[in-house]
Amino acid sequence: SYELTQAPSVTVSSGQTATIDCSGHTLGDEPVCWYLQKPGQSPVLVIYQDVKRPSGIPERFSASKSGNTATLTITGTQPLDEADYYCQVWDSSAWVFGGGTRLTV
Amino acid sequence: QAQLVESGGGLVKPGGSLRLSCTASGFIFTDYYMTWIRQAPGKGLEWLAYITSSGNHFYYAASVEGRVSISRDNAKNSLYLHVNRLGAGDTAVYYCARGFGDSSNGLDVWGRGTTVTVSS
């Protein structure tokens, strides 16, 4: 089955830029979505179609893709951005989630 | 605003079955496809099942295919998930989530989840 790989954890200082990577062997061919999940809460969509932000998502959240690696970037990271972040694609009639990256601020 | 509310979770004995429900409000239910996703304690997100807006087509994760069935009642703005032959590995929070158009648009509204615990 298709797998998306994420680092288990990333630590960033408040105000700095956080980058969270997601890799998959055909990621370059598939639109990527990103979700954040704070402890005890439901996931929230923060990026869709590789780079688009839903309404209400702050501009400090952005994303990019190069080859088979997608990257979520949080500019000017705030303590409230501390959460688990998941990448996701649709592959062979299935939603596939990465294992998640815990961002510590 | 758009809202999804799951129900039907609880304590279930191994080998048992249950039906989870998800009630939608604040949006046109028939405009959206729906999915079920679960999260085991301390683990990541696992997609389980998808159903089209009409309810005519569905897909299942290989990990649960044959044990789960997704359905919807558009007249009641409701989504369902039947799960059979429950085991300890099915202990998780079960979320319903909606999507619009194709999968590249992501899942933009999630419920708060309902907790299923499988234990004797």
Side-chain angles (χ1 to χ4, degrees):
Chain A
S1 62
Y2 192 76
E3 289 188 2
L4 295 175
T5 302
Q6 297 182 243
S9 63
V10 167
T11 299
V12 64
S13 299
S14 181
Q16 298 304 302
T17 296
T19 58
I20 298 171
D21 290 335
C22 171
S23 63
H25 70 274
T26 59
L27 205 58
D29 300 327
E30 298 152 342
V32 179
C33 298
W34 289 91
Y35 304 83
L36 70 80
Q37 184 181 31
K38 296 183 180 181
Q41 298 185 22
S42 306
V44 174
L45 179 68
V46 294
I47 296 289
Y48 67 101
Q49 292 183 10
D50 291 335
V51 298
K52 297 181 179 180
R53 274 181 293 107
S55 61
I57 300 302
E59 291 184 5
R60 63 179 182 275
F61 288 88
S62 64
S64 61
K65 200 161 65 172
S66 177
N68 291 327
T69 299
T71 300
L72 176 70
T73 301
I74 309 171
T75 306
T77 307
Q78 300 179 10
L80 59 83
D81 297 327
E82 200 162 87
D84 293 326
Y85 290 82
Y86 296 90
C87 57
Q88 173 257 309
V89 298
W90 165 261
D91 180 81
S92 301
S93 303
W95 270 262
V96 179
F97 288 94
T101 296
R102 175 150 297 178
L103 177 66
T104 301
V105 182
Chain B
Q1 72 278 22
Q3 190 174 14
L4 298 170
V5 179
E6 302 91 340
S7 60
L11 179 63
V12 185
K13 290 187 181 339
S17 61
L18 53 66
R19 185 183 85 159
L20 303 178
S21 300
C22 169
T23 302
S25 61
F27 65 98
I28 301 173
F29 188 58
T30 51
D31 281 350
Y32 294 83
Y33 64 81
M34 299 295 296
T35 66
W36 284 99
I37 290 154
R38 71 182 177 185
Q39 186 170 36
K43 301 297 184 182
L45 302 173
E46 179 188 15
W47 169 74
L48 299 177
Y50 150 95
I51 189 167
T52 57
S53 57
S54 64
N56 290 338
H57 298 284
F58 29 80
Y59 298 114
Y60 298 105
S63 60
V64 295
E65 192 161 19
R67 288 200 302 123
V68 304
S69 175
I70 188 171
S71 61
R72 63 191 293 165
D73 185 337
N74 285 341
K76 295 183 178 179
N77 287 350
S78 294
L79 173 74
Y80 307 101
L81 185 73
H82 291 256
V83 188
N84 301 314
R85 304 194 303 277
L86 285 156
D90 295 312
T91 294
V93 176
Y94 286 71
Y95 297 101
C96 62
R98 77 172 195 184
F100 181 81
D102 64 47
S103 61
S104 67
N105 293 324
L107 302 170
D108 69 336
V109 175
W110 296 59
R112 290 190 170 187
T114 186
T115 300
V116 173
T117 303
V118 182
S119 176
S120 55

